Short mmCIF file of all heavy atoms in Angstrom, two decimals:
data_model
loop_
_atom_site.label_atom_id
_atom_site.label_comp_id
_atom_site.label_asym_id
_atom_site.label_seq_id
_atom_site.Cartn_x
_atom_site.Cartn_y
_atom_site.Cartn_z
N ALA L 76 126.08 101.24 80.56
CA ALA L 76 124.92 101.21 79.67
C ALA L 76 124.20 102.54 79.73
O ALA L 76 124.30 103.29 80.69
CB ALA L 76 123.98 100.09 80.11
N ARG L 77 123.47 102.84 78.65
CA ARG L 77 122.75 104.11 78.60
C ARG L 77 121.25 103.90 78.47
O ARG L 77 120.54 104.71 77.91
CB ARG L 77 123.24 104.94 77.41
CG ARG L 77 124.70 105.31 77.50
CD ARG L 77 124.86 106.71 78.03
NE ARG L 77 126.24 107.02 78.37
CZ ARG L 77 126.77 108.23 78.33
NH1 ARG L 77 126.05 109.25 77.94
NH2 ARG L 77 128.01 108.44 78.68
N PHE L 78 120.78 102.78 79.02
CA PHE L 78 119.35 102.49 78.96
C PHE L 78 118.56 103.47 79.82
O PHE L 78 117.47 103.92 79.47
CB PHE L 78 119.14 101.03 79.41
CG PHE L 78 117.72 100.59 79.47
CD1 PHE L 78 116.96 100.49 78.32
CD2 PHE L 78 117.13 100.27 80.69
CE1 PHE L 78 115.63 100.07 78.39
CE2 PHE L 78 115.82 99.84 80.76
CZ PHE L 78 115.07 99.75 79.61
N LEU L 79 119.13 103.80 80.98
CA LEU L 79 118.50 104.75 81.90
C LEU L 79 119.49 105.86 82.19
O LEU L 79 120.68 105.59 82.36
CB LEU L 79 118.15 104.09 83.22
CG LEU L 79 117.03 103.07 83.25
CD1 LEU L 79 116.98 102.44 84.64
CD2 LEU L 79 115.70 103.70 82.93
N SER L 80 118.99 107.09 82.32
CA SER L 80 119.88 108.16 82.75
C SER L 80 120.14 108.01 84.24
O SER L 80 119.40 107.32 84.94
CB SER L 80 119.22 109.51 82.48
OG SER L 80 118.10 109.66 83.34
N ALA L 81 121.16 108.71 84.72
CA ALA L 81 121.47 108.64 86.15
C ALA L 81 120.27 109.09 86.97
O ALA L 81 119.91 108.47 87.97
CB ALA L 81 122.69 109.51 86.46
N ASP L 82 119.63 110.17 86.54
CA ASP L 82 118.51 110.70 87.30
C ASP L 82 117.37 109.70 87.37
O ASP L 82 116.80 109.43 88.42
CB ASP L 82 118.03 112.00 86.65
CG ASP L 82 116.90 112.63 87.41
OD1 ASP L 82 116.98 112.62 88.66
OD2 ASP L 82 115.95 113.13 86.79
N ARG L 83 117.02 109.10 86.25
CA ARG L 83 115.92 108.16 86.21
C ARG L 83 116.24 106.92 87.06
O ARG L 83 115.41 106.43 87.80
CB ARG L 83 115.66 107.75 84.76
CG ARG L 83 114.22 107.36 84.49
CD ARG L 83 113.26 108.49 84.82
NE ARG L 83 111.90 108.11 84.47
CZ ARG L 83 110.82 108.34 85.23
NH1 ARG L 83 110.96 108.95 86.38
NH2 ARG L 83 109.62 107.98 84.83
N TYR L 84 117.49 106.45 86.95
CA TYR L 84 117.88 105.28 87.74
C TYR L 84 117.75 105.58 89.22
O TYR L 84 117.25 104.76 89.98
CB TYR L 84 119.32 104.88 87.43
CG TYR L 84 119.72 103.61 88.13
CD1 TYR L 84 119.52 102.36 87.53
CD2 TYR L 84 120.27 103.65 89.41
CE1 TYR L 84 119.86 101.20 88.20
CE2 TYR L 84 120.60 102.48 90.08
CZ TYR L 84 120.40 101.26 89.46
OH TYR L 84 120.73 100.10 90.12
N ASN L 85 118.21 106.78 89.64
CA ASN L 85 118.15 107.11 91.06
C ASN L 85 116.71 107.21 91.55
O ASN L 85 116.38 106.80 92.66
CB ASN L 85 118.91 108.41 91.34
CG ASN L 85 120.40 108.27 91.09
OD1 ASN L 85 120.92 107.15 91.02
ND2 ASN L 85 121.09 109.37 90.93
N GLN L 86 115.82 107.73 90.69
CA GLN L 86 114.40 107.73 91.05
C GLN L 86 113.89 106.30 91.17
O GLN L 86 113.11 105.97 92.06
CB GLN L 86 113.56 108.44 89.99
CG GLN L 86 113.72 109.95 89.95
CD GLN L 86 112.81 110.55 88.89
OE1 GLN L 86 111.60 110.34 88.90
NE2 GLN L 86 113.39 111.29 87.96
N ILE L 87 114.33 105.45 90.25
CA ILE L 87 113.80 104.09 90.20
C ILE L 87 114.26 103.27 91.39
O ILE L 87 113.46 102.57 92.02
CB ILE L 87 114.16 103.42 88.86
CG1 ILE L 87 113.31 104.04 87.76
CG2 ILE L 87 113.92 101.92 88.92
CD1 ILE L 87 113.62 103.52 86.37
N PHE L 88 115.54 103.37 91.77
CA PHE L 88 115.95 102.52 92.89
C PHE L 88 115.34 103.04 94.19
O PHE L 88 115.00 102.25 95.08
CB PHE L 88 117.47 102.33 92.96
CG PHE L 88 118.26 103.36 93.73
CD1 PHE L 88 118.22 103.40 95.12
CD2 PHE L 88 119.09 104.24 93.06
CE1 PHE L 88 118.98 104.33 95.82
CE2 PHE L 88 119.85 105.16 93.76
CZ PHE L 88 119.78 105.20 95.14
N THR L 89 115.16 104.36 94.29
CA THR L 89 114.49 104.92 95.47
C THR L 89 113.05 104.44 95.55
O THR L 89 112.57 104.01 96.60
CB THR L 89 114.52 106.45 95.41
OG1 THR L 89 115.86 106.90 95.36
CG2 THR L 89 113.83 107.04 96.63
N THR L 90 112.36 104.51 94.42
CA THR L 90 110.96 104.09 94.40
C THR L 90 110.85 102.60 94.64
O THR L 90 109.95 102.14 95.36
CB THR L 90 110.31 104.47 93.06
OG1 THR L 90 110.51 105.85 92.82
CG2 THR L 90 108.83 104.16 93.08
N HIS L 91 111.75 101.81 94.05
CA HIS L 91 111.70 100.36 94.25
C HIS L 91 111.76 100.04 95.74
O HIS L 91 110.92 99.31 96.27
CB HIS L 91 112.87 99.70 93.52
CG HIS L 91 113.05 98.25 93.84
ND1 HIS L 91 112.30 97.25 93.27
CD2 HIS L 91 113.90 97.61 94.69
CE1 HIS L 91 112.69 96.06 93.74
NE2 HIS L 91 113.65 96.25 94.60
N GLY L 92 112.75 100.59 96.43
CA GLY L 92 112.88 100.32 97.85
C GLY L 92 111.72 100.86 98.66
O GLY L 92 111.13 100.14 99.48
N SER L 93 111.36 102.10 98.46
CA SER L 93 110.28 102.70 99.24
C SER L 93 108.98 101.96 98.98
O SER L 93 108.22 101.68 99.91
CB SER L 93 110.11 104.18 98.87
OG SER L 93 111.33 104.86 98.96
N ASN L 94 108.72 101.65 97.71
CA ASN L 94 107.48 100.95 97.37
C ASN L 94 107.43 99.58 98.03
O ASN L 94 106.43 99.21 98.64
CB ASN L 94 107.42 100.81 95.84
CG ASN L 94 106.29 99.94 95.38
OD1 ASN L 94 105.14 100.34 95.30
ND2 ASN L 94 106.61 98.69 95.06
N MET L 95 108.52 98.83 97.91
CA MET L 95 108.51 97.48 98.46
C MET L 95 108.35 97.49 99.97
O MET L 95 107.60 96.70 100.54
CB MET L 95 109.80 96.74 98.09
CG MET L 95 109.92 96.37 96.63
SD MET L 95 108.50 95.42 96.06
CE MET L 95 109.20 94.67 94.60
N MET L 96 109.04 98.42 100.64
CA MET L 96 108.97 98.42 102.09
C MET L 96 107.66 99.00 102.61
O MET L 96 107.00 98.42 103.44
CB MET L 96 110.15 99.22 102.67
CG MET L 96 111.49 98.60 102.41
SD MET L 96 111.64 96.99 103.20
CE MET L 96 112.12 97.46 104.84
N PHE L 97 107.27 100.18 102.08
CA PHE L 97 106.13 100.88 102.67
C PHE L 97 104.79 100.56 102.01
O PHE L 97 103.76 100.67 102.65
CB PHE L 97 106.36 102.39 102.59
CG PHE L 97 107.52 102.86 103.40
CD1 PHE L 97 108.66 103.36 102.80
CD2 PHE L 97 107.47 102.80 104.79
CE1 PHE L 97 109.74 103.78 103.56
CE2 PHE L 97 108.54 103.23 105.55
CZ PHE L 97 109.67 103.72 104.93
N LEU L 98 104.81 100.20 100.74
CA LEU L 98 103.55 99.98 100.04
C LEU L 98 103.25 98.51 99.80
O LEU L 98 102.14 98.17 99.43
CB LEU L 98 103.55 100.73 98.70
CG LEU L 98 103.66 102.24 98.82
CD1 LEU L 98 103.75 102.88 97.44
CD2 LEU L 98 102.44 102.80 99.57
N PHE L 99 104.24 97.65 99.95
CA PHE L 99 103.97 96.22 99.78
C PHE L 99 104.15 95.45 101.08
O PHE L 99 103.20 94.91 101.62
CB PHE L 99 104.85 95.63 98.67
CG PHE L 99 104.86 94.12 98.70
CD1 PHE L 99 103.70 93.40 98.42
CD2 PHE L 99 105.99 93.42 99.05
CE1 PHE L 99 103.68 92.01 98.49
CE2 PHE L 99 105.98 92.02 99.12
CZ PHE L 99 104.83 91.32 98.84
N ALA L 100 105.38 95.43 101.58
CA ALA L 100 105.70 94.45 102.62
C ALA L 100 104.89 94.67 103.90
O ALA L 100 104.23 93.75 104.39
CB ALA L 100 107.18 94.47 102.93
#
Side-chain angles (χ1 to χ4, degrees):
Chain L
R77 298 262 169 151
F78 177 66
L79 290 174
S80 68
D82 182 41
R83 209 58 177 137
Y84 185 90
N85 294 342
Q86 288 182 56
I87 288 177
F88 88 73
T89 301
T90 306
H91 171 80
S93 308
N94 172 80
M95 289 305 200
M96 294 297 276
F97 295 112
L98 297 176
F99 165 66

